[in-house]
Amino acid sequence: MQNVLVTGGAGFIGSNFVRYLLKQDPTVQVINFDVLTYAGSIENLKGLPDADRHTFIHDDIRDTDALADVFESFEIDTIVHFAAETHVDRSILGPAIFIESNILGTFNLLEVARKNWSGHSHQGQHAFRFHHISSDEVYGALRAEDPPVNEQHAYAPRSPYAASKASSDFLVRAYGHTYDLPITISNCSNNFGPFQFPEKLMPLMILNAMSGESLPIYGDGSQIRDWIYVDDHSAAVWAILQKGRVGETYNVAGDNQYTNKEIVEMICSLLDKMLPASSHSPHKQLITFVDDRPGHDFRYALDTSKITTDLGWHPHETLQSGLRKTIAWYLENEAWVSQIKQRPAYQEWIEENYLKRAEGG
Ligand code: NAD
Ligand code: TYD
């Protein structure tokens, strides 16, 4: 691995991965391609280790010419494809951009990769890799009593976001099968950690609780997600790049299944301890139950025995240890928090999503 193209590397997981990669591999060059949607930010890339090995390209995977330019300018041998629209609630309110970026954008990237990989076939199959980052949501919703799903489980996506990720997974597999493009895919559970845009459950609850605003739990909060600390996800992607078998899909999860209500209560009690002088304590009093998400998937749970057995990867953080680190990061990074909260995208989202929900509208 010499020149790694990371798409979406200014977003939450992508920026954590870029940091991880620069630390992990002392010679790698990272080409970070990101259009900087509301969820992406240059602020997420401040203070990168060994930043001269990182090149940022401000462009769009919907633009094939822009992608082709990157392959002309750099001898890309590895692609790690994070770029996507990622929020289920936004996909319900406006699905079109999810189709454009997640499906068509992935298609564009595959096409450019295919052309350039064939052009460099003298390097041999193992000198090139297209790693696609996907989600546990493609498998659809589970019931409480269902066992965790493995990589053979049928796809049954149920939100526009999940359907767009499932479509992109199928395209990536098709390119592997049809054109021998050396692909791998990882389907990961819910991530948490530093630099996550405060529209997703954990950062939204942490920031709202810190400033004494209400904590909106959808429905009755009984839905279950499996949480993974973001660095554990980065380590899994690294393991797949190093040791993963071409053509294979790997499930990645933290083995932390909790209901949304339990998660919010844990955040509240950690904040009570970490901010003993807060006038908002006990933070639990801020919890409000609001209108449910339409088509809300009840539970996701992944069987991760393939990646643990075949690649020796294991998550290191527990929910408690990762949550403590995450809350500490949001408390210590006031400048990041205030620039994010001042963004129109954040303010508009709060108005559009939560105020209406809270009013039952
Ligand atoms: P994010 O929303 O924080 O970041 C997405 C990044 O992609 C942003 O920087 C954005 O600017 C960029 N982007 C979006 N559209 C683009 C386009 N058309 N061209 C170029 N860049 C574009 O998302 P995240 O949570 O970091 O998720 C990253 C990836 O991981 C996504 O593919 C997502 O589906 C997947 N994933 C996320 C989770 C999770 O819990 N967050 C879990 C499993 C898988
Ligand atoms: P989210 O972080 O949006 O991730 P995903 O929908 O991809 O799992 O939501 C996680 C869970 O938390 C999901 O069941 C919806 C719920 N949720 C709330 O109850 N309140 C909120 O404000 C948000 C953002 C999510």
Side-chain angles (χ1 to χ4, degrees):
M1 235 173 25
Q2 284 175 334
N3 294 314
V4 181
L5 173 63
V6 177
T7 68
F12 160 49
I13 308 174
S15 64
N16 279 288
F17 178 74
V18 166
R19 250 186 202 83
Y20 180 94
L21 187 58
L22 287 168
K23 273 195 219 145
Q24 196 69 26
D25 185 330
T27 58
V28 76
Q29 296 286 330
V30 177
I31 297 95
N32 185 346
F33 186 100
D34 195 305
V35 76
L36 299 178
T37 65
Y38 74 93
S41 174
I42 284 295
E43 302 289 319
N44 296 354
L45 299 165
K46 272 193 178 159
L48 286 181
D50 225 352
D52 55 343
R53 289 192 286 118
H54 172 258
T55 307
F56 185 72
I57 297 175
H58 184 196
D59 229 316
D60 197 326
I61 56 167
R62 289 173 295 169
D63 181 346
T64 317
D65 292 340
L67 286 170
D69 284 350
V70 175
F71 281 81
E72 264 178 34
S73 308
F74 301 89
E75 285 264 320
I76 303 294
D77 53 53
T78 308
I79 301 168
V80 186
H81 177 36
F82 290 95
E85 291 292 334
T86 60
H87 195 195
V88 172
D89 292 318
R90 287 186 194 256
S91 83
I92 294 168
L93 291 172
I97 186 73
F98 286 73
I99 308 307
E100 289 172 21
S101 287
N102 300 4
I103 306 178
L104 291 174
T106 301
F107 165 70
N108 291 339
L109 189 60
L110 284 164
E111 273 292 272
V112 174
R114 174 170 79 91
K115 285 173 190 152
N116 283 275
W117 176 64
S118 315
H120 293 95
S121 56
H122 62 274
Q123 290 181 348
Q125 180 153 323
H126 296 292
F128 192 90
R129 179 74 70 84
F130 186 114
H131 182 72
H132 178 58
I133 303 290
S134 192
S135 163
D136 57 359
E137 306 195 19
V138 299
Y139 298 116
L142 302 185
R143 296 166 303 173
E145 62 273 26
D146 290 332
V149 300
N150 68 19
E151 292 81 356
Q152 309 305 319
H153 197 272
Y155 273 31
R158 292 157 35 110
S159 70
Y161 165 69
S164 70
K165 293 302 291 187
S167 308
S168 64
D169 293 7
F170 284 146
L171 279 171
V172 173
R173 281 199 198 142
Y175 272 65
H177 187 73
T178 310
Y179 304 113
D180 280 336
L181 188 72
I183 63 108
T184 40
I185 300 178
S186 49
N187 292 89
C188 189
S189 64
N190 285 56
N191 284 226
F192 67 103
F195 301 106
Q196 189 169 26
F197 191 82
E199 61 181 358
K200 306 271 168 62
L201 181 71
M202 285 207 192
L204 183 108
M205 296 297 167
I206 295 168
L207 297 196
N208 279 15
M210 278 163 62
S211 54
E213 289 157 52
S214 71
L215 308 179
I217 295 183
Y218 298 169
D220 62 3
S222 62
Q223 295 79 12
I224 296 165
R225 298 288 181 268
D226 187 345
W227 296 90
I228 182 169
Y229 189 68
V230 64
D231 284 347
D232 282 327
H233 186 185
S234 294
V237 173
W238 171 257
I240 296 167
L241 292 175
Q242 297 298 308
K243 301 181 267 181
R245 289 220 335 261
V246 164
E248 295 291 318
T249 293
Y250 295 90
N251 282 348
V252 179
D255 201 16
N256 294 306
Q257 285 183 45
Y258 290 92
T259 68
N260 294 335
K261 188 161 166 285
E262 285 168 336
I263 293 289
V264 178
E265 286 170 354
M266 263 181 249
I267 290 173
C268 290
S269 61
L270 276 170
L271 275 171
D272 291 347
K273 288 185 202 126
M274 293 166 85
L275 290 175
S278 168
S279 58
H280 311 306
S281 280
H283 292 86
K284 211 176 153 177
Q285 70 188 336
L286 299 168
I287 291 177
T288 333
F289 291 90
V290 299
D291 275 5
D292 208 351
R293 171 185 280 174
H296 199 169
D297 281 350
F298 178 67
R299 173 173 167 247
Y300 307 127
L302 293 178
D303 177 340
T304 57
S305 32
K306 180 171 172 182
I307 190 167
T308 54
T309 310
D310 292 2
L311 307 187
W313 171 87
H314 295 275
H316 286 291
E317 299 290 346
T318 62
L319 184 75
Q320 282 287 333
S321 68
L323 204 42
R324 194 173 275 279
K325 276 191 185 178
T326 304
I327 295 175
W329 187 87
Y330 283 97
L331 291 174
E332 283 158 16
N333 286 275
E334 275 174 42
W336 186 92
V337 168
S338 73
Q339 60 85 20
I340 283 277
K341 282 183 114 178
Q342 277 162 25
R343 289 190 185 187
Y346 172 77
Q347 313 261 358
E348 284 158 17
W349 180 247
I350 295 292
E351 285 194 7
E352 186 159 4
N353 192 37
Y354 295 105
L355 300 182
K356 275 195 203 138
R357 268 185 210 275
E359 288 159 9

